[in-house]
Amino acid sequence: MDIQRLREIFDRQGSFAIVVGSDYTIDEMGGALALYLTLSSSGKDVSIISSKQPLVEVSNLVGIDRVKPYFESKNGDLVVSFPYLGDEIGKVSYTLESGFLNIIVKPKENYLSFGEKDVLFKRSGDVPQVLIAVGVKRLSELSAQFSVESLKDTTIVNVDKAGANEGFGDIVIIGQGASS
């Protein structure tokens, strides 16, 4: 393993994403969260991603509330998503007031079936400069979060313990004999 090259990658500016494999263990999630918290505390723009909702077994890990199902970057487009059931939205408009953009969703009838807690905010259209895959066995597993083609200029660090890993990425760290 080339420690100097890994150090250079972690010293880079730009966005980082840590993706945890879909069948993660508590060790994999714990390791991914440790990386996330370390990079965050050093001022990096970092997201931690899992396509699977965090399980009860990992609910006590520090930082578990930061795990998202998608990549969130400061550079991408901000997407505001509203549930759309049937034909209940009659009109969408916006106003600019006191330095705020207000998006106004008017119902077609008297009410909307969703509330503020149902509205989603996410960033899209951007890919990280560095992607750290923890417990991800195949490159195709990343397609739940990214178009694999869009990652062509992204540096990928692949960290795993299992022998079934394809060995994809620019830096591959697979400890086949490791217990965790």
Side-chain angles (χ1 to χ4, degrees), residues 35 132-136 157-161 165 171-174:
L35 275 170
I132 304 163
V134 179
V136 177
V157 179
N158 179 357
V159 181
D160 201 359
K161 68 175 176 84
N165 190 295
I171 294 185
V172 180
I173 305 167
I174 299 177

Side-chain angles (χ1 to χ4, degrees), residues 104-173:
I104 302 156
V105 178
K106 293 188 179 246
K108 200 171 244 187
E109 299 297 322
N110 294 332
Y111 71 96
L112 296 170
S113 65
F114 59 88
E116 294 148 16
K117 66 178 176 27
D118 302 314
V119 177
L120 301 176
F121 300 88
K122 64 181 177 180
R123 299 263 183 189
S124 71
D126 196 19
V127 293
Q129 278 85 26
V130 177
L131 187 144
I132 304 163
V134 179
V136 177
K137 309 291 181 241
R138 288 169 288 291
L139 186 60
S140 61
E141 284 184 47
L142 298 174
S143 65
Q145 292 87 15
F146 304 99
S147 153
V148 176
E149 296 83 36
S150 70
L151 296 174
K152 68 181 180 340
D153 296 325
T154 298
T155 302
I156 299 176
V157 179
N158 179 357
V159 181
D160 201 359
K161 68 175 176 84
N165 190 295
E166 284 181 347
F168 64 91
D170 300 291
I171 294 185
V172 180
I173 305 167

Side-chain angles (χ1 to χ4, degrees), residues 90-109:
K91 181 180 176 184
V92 178
S93 60
Y94 72 92
T95 62
L96 296 171
E97 295 175 21
S98 305
F100 283 90
L101 170 70
N102 302 305
I103 299 171
I104 302 156
V105 178
K106 293 188 179 246
K108 200 171 244 187
E109 299 297 322

Side-chain angles (χ1 to χ4, degrees), residues 15-17 47 49 69-73 123-124 126-128 145-146:
S15 58
F16 288 71
S47 294
I49 306 164
Y70 50 84
F71 175 63
E72 204 169 58
S73 170
R123 299 263 183 189
S124 71
D126 196 19
V127 293
Q145 292 87 15
F146 304 99

